[in-house]
Amino acid sequence: VVYHIPSNARSLAEYMPPDPRLADGSMNGKNSWGKLGYGGPCPPGGMHRYCFKLYALDTVLNLGSGANKEQLLSAMKGHILGQAALMGKYKR
């Protein structure tokens, strides 16, 4: 979960540190393990799908770092201008 990505961003770094605030002002939220930052795919076995979603909002959310997916989705309600999705597959 990453939010407050600047509107002029055209890409994300291959590695983003698990810091609460990133160099560009983006904020790290809590991942599915309850930690800040992205941990990469870690399927228990077999092929798994990973879905990445990007939202364009009409406002800057009133969220500090550490919000989880549910908190972010709730804060975004009524502010989504557009969205995109990417689904990737990975297996060990």
Side-chain angles (χ1 to χ4, degrees):
V1 175
V2 178
Y3 46 97
H4 294 183
I5 300 171
S7 61
N8 63 349
R10 297 296 175 254
S11 64
L12 296 175
E14 185 174 327
Y15 170 76
M16 295 179 7
D19 301 331
R21 181 182 293 272
L22 302 172
D24 67 357
S26 298
M27 303 289 247
N28 262 324
K30 290 186 181 173
N31 58 35
S32 58
W33 299 295
K35 297 181 180 180
L36 292 181
Y38 178 65
C42 189
M47 182 70 70
H48 286 262
R49 295 180 302 144
Y50 292 86
C51 297
F52 298 88
K53 296 179 181 178
L54 180 67
Y55 297 91
L57 306 178
D58 65 359
T59 189
V60 175
L61 302 176
N62 186 21
L63 288 174
S65 68
N68 63 31
K69 177 183 173 182
E70 292 77 22
Q71 291 167 325
L72 182 58
L73 290 173
S74 178
M76 291 190 319
K77 282 185 183 171
H79 297 288
I80 299 172
L81 298 175
Q83 62 188 69
L86 171 70
M87 191 271 295
K89 294 180 181 179
Y90 179 81
K91 73 175 183 175
R92 287 188 195 206

